[in-house]
């Protein structure tokens, strides 16, 4: 049995209704419901949640994050979720410390996570077109989503012990969204 925890970060804020990430959550739920050997739990960051979320992280074999990107970062509601849940998980199954010892505080930073052996996937949805990351002279200076804007997000997950599996990024989702085409992209489980 594989335990899958899917976190939908998309929610209504300003001119963003959060529909695409909700669709990804529903697609995941349907995908795993039709396959034996999977148990799925979900969270929608835009709805009420409690600190049972720590237990979901501890329970999961694979965590799937579906997040829009607002102003080149994860939305403020997701940052609040992470701050609250990970803090509640300190010495409670998410991480024990930052990994260093008082004897030698210069080494082993980022090795105190408790979720070793667990993995995560990431999907992001952007207004930015894919070429803004790839073409010389364009805004992101030829840095990928994972190496550029979301580098710290990946380090945060490594800090708690999670292993990165893969990411899928959906581009141009505000001005030129082609949802049927985007949903054909393979999300690597």
């Amino acid at each position: 049995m594989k335990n899958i925890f899917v976190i939908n970060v998309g929610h209504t804020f300003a001119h963003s209704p959060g529909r695409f990430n909700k669709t990804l959550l529903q697609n995941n739920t349907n995908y795993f419901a039709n396959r034996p050997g999977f148990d799925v739990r979900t969270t929608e960051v835009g709805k009420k949640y409690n600190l049972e979320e720590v237990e979901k992280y501890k329970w999961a074999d694979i965590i799937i994050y579906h997040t829009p990107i607002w102003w080149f970062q994860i939305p403020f509601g997701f940052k609040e979720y992470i701050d609250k849940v990970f803090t509640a998980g300190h010495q409670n199954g998410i991480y024990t410390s930052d990994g260093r010892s008082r004897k030698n505080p210069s080494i082993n930073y980022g090795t105190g996570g408790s979720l070793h052996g667990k993995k995560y996937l990431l999907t992001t949805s952007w207004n930015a077109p894919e070429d803004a990351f790839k073409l010389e002279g364009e805004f992101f200076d030829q840095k990928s989503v994972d190496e550029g804007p979301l580098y710290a997000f990946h380090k945060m997950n490594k800090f708690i012990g999670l292993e990165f599996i893969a990411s899928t990024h959906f581009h141009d989702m505000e001005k030129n969204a082609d949802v049927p085409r985007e949903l054909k992209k393979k999300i690597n489980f």
Side-chain angles (χ1 to χ4, degrees):
M1 180 69 80
K2 285 275 189 193
N3 296 329
I4 310 294
F5 177 30
V6 185
I7 302 171
N8 171 29
V9 178
H11 59 280
T12 301
F13 178 75
H15 60 277
S16 176
R19 288 189 309 260
F20 183 69
N21 286 280
K22 177 79 169 176
T23 299
L24 293 175
L25 172 70
Q26 290 168 340
N27 285 357
N28 283 162
T29 303
N30 294 340
Y31 175 87
F32 290 114
N34 295 317
R35 284 170 176 69
F38 292 97
D39 190 12
V40 178
R41 295 183 187 169
T42 64
T43 290
E44 294 190 58
V45 170
K47 295 183 177 178
K48 290 197 179 237
Y49 57 85
N50 58 38
L51 294 181
E52 175 187 309
E53 299 301 302
V54 172
E55 297 306 314
K56 290 179 183 178
Y57 270 88
K58 291 167 26 178
W59 165 86
D61 296 310
I62 298 173
I63 294 128
I64 301 172
Y65 298 106
H66 293 305
T67 185
I69 300 299
W70 296 350
W71 291 105
F72 316 111
Q73 299 292 319
I74 60 174
F76 69 92
F78 189 26
K79 177 65 168 93
E80 178 183 43
Y81 170 90
I82 289 167
D83 289 347
K84 288 180 176 181
V85 173
F86 287 12
T87 299
H90 180 235
Q91 297 187 347
N92 185 24
I94 291 183
Y95 73 102
T96 56
S97 69
D98 68 11
R100 300 176 297 160
S101 71
R102 299 229 183 260
K103 279 187 173 180
N104 192 348
S106 297
I107 61 168
N108 295 321
Y109 181 80
T111 61
S114 302
L115 298 178
H116 296 280
K118 298 173 184 289
K119 300 176 181 189
Y120 76 99
L121 292 149
L122 171 66
T123 73
T124 63
S125 53
W126 292 78
N127 176 48
E130 188 171 8
D131 284 340
F133 294 90
K134 293 181 172 184
L135 296 178
E136 186 175 343
E138 285 300 313
F139 189 78
F140 290 99
D141 301 318
Q142 295 180 294
K143 297 255 191 285
S144 73
V145 169
D146 298 302
E147 296 167 327
L150 293 183
Y151 178 80
F153 181 83
H154 291 298
K155 286 299 185 182
M156 173 200 72
N157 282 283
K158 185 176 182 177
F159 185 96
I160 62 173
L162 296 178
E163 179 186 336
F164 177 57
I165 298 173
S167 60
T168 303
H169 306 294
F170 302 95
H171 296 281
D172 216 357
M173 296 305 292
E174 187 172 328
K175 283 194 177 163
N176 293 306
D178 183 343
V179 173
R181 181 192 70 215
E182 293 300 316
L183 291 176
K184 289 178 185 173
K185 283 186 177 178
K186 184 175 183 195
I187 298 175
N188 299 309
F189 297 104

